[in-house]
Amino acid sequence: MRPLNRRQFLALGVSSASAVFLASRVTGQSLPPAPNQYVSKDGLLDIALDARYEAVNLAGEQAYLYSYNGQIPAPQLEAKPGDSVRIRFTNNLPQPTNIHYHGLHVPPTGNADNIFLNIPSGETFTYEFTIPDNHPGGTFYYHPHLHGWVAEQVFAGLGGAFIIRGELDAIPEIQAAQEVFLFLKDFDLDANGRVPQPWHMAQMMGREGSLVTANGQVNPTLSIPKGGLLRLRLVNASTSRFYRLALEDHPLYLIATDGIPLSEPVELRELLLTPGERAEILVRGEREPNQYRLLALPYNRGGMGMMGGGMMGRGMMGRGMGSGMMVQSDWESTRNLATLTYAGQVETLPLPQKLIPVETLPEPQRVRRFILNHGMSPGMGMVFLINGRAFDHQRVDTQVSLNTIEDWEITNTGVMDHPFHLHTNPFQVISRNGQPESFRAWKDTVLVRAGETVRFRVRFTDFPGKTVYHCHILDHEDLGMMGTIEMQKSS
Ligand code: C2O
Ligand code: CU
Ligand code: CU
């Protein structure tokens, strides 16, 4: 199982083409540099984070971005079930902000995952919460969440991965795999390296940028030994961009969705990751040494009927044009997100047969319906609505009782796709347009395509208080497609 060194590998008699490729590997980099990692010690993750606006290096160029601690992506946080988390946060941005811990099952109130907090410019706030003892191990995501500012702040660079080390990590086949994090994020920079203000149309579409990065790099190289296993932990940290992922000549073995393990690996040809979604996949080093591209395949997430050539053509909207908007010509193209190479050889590692059981939830006590759509509002232009209403933090839209199970049926009657996200409690998708889902999985964000109805089941147990559900195209959230939920102890 010991990896071969380079001489032993060459002694295997690789073809000259592979030898050339190997030489380039030795001089090149192997893994994309992981962001700085902060791991809990003695049951406590205690770190100082600040949000700031300054010049950073992004994919080899100077860019003026918003960042946590000057890093793109932000420091990677890691804790275990049962750990306490203390984040001493300072807002050095010229505008208010806050932090949301996307997907974590922690209280949505007080100084925990409270997205109603407003931390003004120049102020400090300490977040404190405990990761429950029974919290699943997986890939989570922290990012700003102050309504009205979210898309701007995420698009300018804010966001990082939050890892919980748990049961999945203890499975021997998973432990044997090489772990690589890919934090996917797109940027739009003008000629001076600044993020331009988006056009109104770009906000309505959901702003996208043409600089597509993985861990702040363009097309980084990852390597796998022949026979080895790679565990890719993916976060879609983009404001609006969808990634329809495929790895040339390699099936993807999905092992976790939105931070929660599946019961067993699911083999896929491709995987669509919408904003806010995370996925963990295993890749087997089962091909001949060569270069294989991790691709983002074309995906059209729907428009206003004004896109494409003509007035919104790509010529007007290219990089540096201050648009923040990619058009359908971009959605029709294929992008190379990263490149997988082979280096060395190990005895063939098996895939795990079983992961962590995903329970079947009992029948719901109640069914609720939500309609996603958009409309025109005088003076505001397009607004994005849930059940005909735009977000109002003072209104409670949905009241649920703890210790109940509900089905939520989300119907998208609009013309654009909307990834629907619920805070605090994960759910299981039951059906799409009446068709049962092919495997059981926990999710916190689910794509509801234009014209589609998705039904999911959610259990409310602990954590009373108010939080939100919304479209994770963050411009749509800022433009109103968000509702409040209040979870109450049953009387
Ligand atoms: Cu990732 Cu309410 O958000
Ligand atoms: Cu969230
Ligand atoms: Cu949306």
Side-chain angles (χ1 to χ4, degrees):
M1 300 277 276
R2 186 169 53 92
L4 299 176
N5 67 30
R6 177 165 181 261
R7 191 179 49 77
Q8 289 167 318
F9 179 68
L10 287 173
L12 291 174
V14 291
S15 71
S16 56
S18 318
V20 167
F21 145 71
L22 182 73
S24 71
R25 181 193 69 83
V26 170
T27 53
Q29 80 277 52
S30 56
L31 293 175
N36 279 348
Q37 295 179 9
Y38 292 85
V39 181
S40 61
K41 276 195 210 66
D42 303 324
L44 176 66
L45 176 69
D46 184 358
I47 79 154
L49 270 191
D50 71 282
R52 54 175 98 153
Y53 177 52
E54 65 178 23
V56 295
N57 184 296
L58 179 70
E61 287 177 55
Q62 175 166 286
Y64 293 86
L65 296 175
Y66 290 177
S67 68
Y68 293 120
N69 294 6
Q71 293 165 30
I72 304 284
Q76 184 169 303
L77 310 183
E78 184 175 318
K80 292 194 289 292
D83 284 351
S84 301
V85 177
R86 184 186 302 140
I87 293 171
R88 291 169 281 117
F89 176 66
T90 305
N91 178 11
N92 290 323
L93 298 177
Q95 56 192 222
T97 189
N98 65 18
I99 305 179
H100 167 50
Y101 304 90
H102 179 133
L104 288 186
H105 183 61
V106 296
T109 48
N111 58 353
D113 184 22
N114 182 350
I115 56 91
F116 296 106
L117 288 170
N118 179 322
I119 305 170
S121 179
E123 303 265 300
T124 288
F125 185 84
T126 301
Y127 285 97
E128 267 183 303
F129 50 87
T130 300
I131 308 295
D133 288 321
N134 61 355
H135 200 288
T139 310
F140 301 91
Y141 171 31
Y142 68 101
H143 63 78
H145 211 298
L146 184 61
H147 178 66
W149 299 96
V150 184
E152 173 179 337
Q153 293 180 359
V154 169
F155 197 62
L158 291 171
F162 199 127
I163 305 306
I164 306 292
R165 282 282 160 205
E167 279 182 296
L168 182 65
D169 303 272
I171 293 175
E173 292 88 345
I174 303 278
Q175 275 181 343
Q178 187 173 7
E179 179 175 71
V180 173
F181 293 90
L182 289 178
F183 196 78
L184 305 176
K185 201 167 177 60
D186 59 331
F187 295 87
D188 189 33
L189 297 176
D190 67 15
N192 301 314
R194 290 176 197 272
V195 181
Q197 277 304 106
W199 296 9
H200 189 57
M201 178 58 94
Q203 280 173 274
M204 292 188 292
M205 294 302 304
R207 66 190 88 182
E208 293 190 24
S210 56
L211 180 61
V212 180
T213 66
N215 299 349
Q217 292 189 307
V218 173
N219 189 16
T221 301
L222 352 164
S223 69
I224 190 171
K226 191 159 168 62
L229 266 186
L230 199 61
R231 176 187 183 185
L232 290 180
R233 303 179 64 146
L234 299 146
V235 180
N236 182 346
S238 284
T239 309
S240 319
R241 180 178 286 272
F242 288 23
Y243 298 90
R244 186 182 149 218
L245 300 165
L247 178 58
E248 289 179 312
D249 290 341
H250 291 74
L252 309 174
Y253 297 95
L254 184 68
I255 57 170
T257 51
D258 292 351
I260 307 190
L262 304 180
S263 345
E264 58 203 15
V266 172
E267 183 178 337
L268 300 173
R269 288 275 134 206
E270 57 176 70
L271 172 70
L272 181 64
L273 208 62
T274 71
E277 285 189 297
R278 291 90 61 220
E280 297 192 28
I281 54 184
L282 294 177
V283 173
R284 305 191 79 169
E286 59 189 351
R287 298 285 174 236
E288 287 312 306
N290 203 334
Q291 301 204 350
Y292 300 93
R293 295 175 299 165
L294 176 65
L295 299 170
L297 299 170
Y299 186 85
N300 185 339
R301 59 184 176 82
M304 304 291 185
M306 301 177 62
M307 308 298 291
M311 63 175 284
M312 295 294 171
R314 188 181 173 87
M316 286 174 67
M317 296 303 213
R319 183 168 177 195
M321 294 307 290
S323 63
M325 174 159 65
M326 300 308 299
V327 293
Q328 275 170 340
S329 60
D330 186 66
W331 295 350
E332 285 160 10
S333 67
T334 295
R335 284 173 176 273
N336 192 179
L337 296 174
T339 301
L340 179 71
T341 64
Y342 277 65
Q345 185 160 21
V346 294
E347 198 179 301
T348 301
L349 293 174
L351 284 176
Q353 293 299 305
K354 290 275 164 253
L355 300 167
I356 311 292
V358 176
E359 62 177 309
T360 308
L361 291 174
E363 289 298 306
Q365 279 110 315
R366 156 157 207 173
V367 181
R368 291 177 200 270
R369 298 203 160 73
F370 298 86
I371 308 285
L372 310 181
N373 205 339
H374 43 74
M376 296 303 286
S377 152
M380 271 191 76
M382 185 88 48
V383 284
F384 286 79
L385 310 169
I386 300 181
N387 289 341
R389 301 199 284 201
F391 178 69
D392 175 353
H393 72 277
Q394 277 169 335
R395 187 182 67 220
V396 172
D397 297 290
T398 304
Q399 268 187 324
V400 306
S401 304
L402 295 181
N403 298 309
T404 56
I405 293 180
E406 299 196 354
D407 271 11
W408 286 19
E409 207 171 79
I410 321 292
T411 299
N412 179 353
T413 61
V415 294
M416 305 174 68
D417 292 1
H418 300 293
F420 185 92
H421 169 52
L422 172 63
H423 285 212
T424 314
N425 290 291
F427 51 79
Q428 294 180 6
V429 177
I430 302 294
S431 65
R432 288 172 184 275
N433 287 341
Q435 292 296 110
E437 279 288 87
S438 52
F439 57 93
R440 202 159 52 235
W442 290 104
K443 297 281 297 158
D444 60 48
T445 305
V446 62
L447 178 61
V448 188
R449 293 184 167 90
E452 198 174 41
T453 294
V454 171
R455 186 179 180 116
F456 65 69
R457 192 157 295 170
V458 53
R459 176 171 52 203
F460 300 97
T461 42
D462 36 13
F463 307 142
K466 265 170 60 175
T467 189
V468 289
Y469 47 84
H470 59 91
C471 176
H472 219 288
I473 291 176
L474 296 170
D475 280 298
H476 294 174
E477 175 276 307
D478 281 337
L479 292 169
M481 195 173 270
M482 177 153 74
T484 53
I485 171 174
E486 182 166 34
M487 298 169 284
Q488 293 174 310
K489 297 208 172 83
S490 29
S491 39

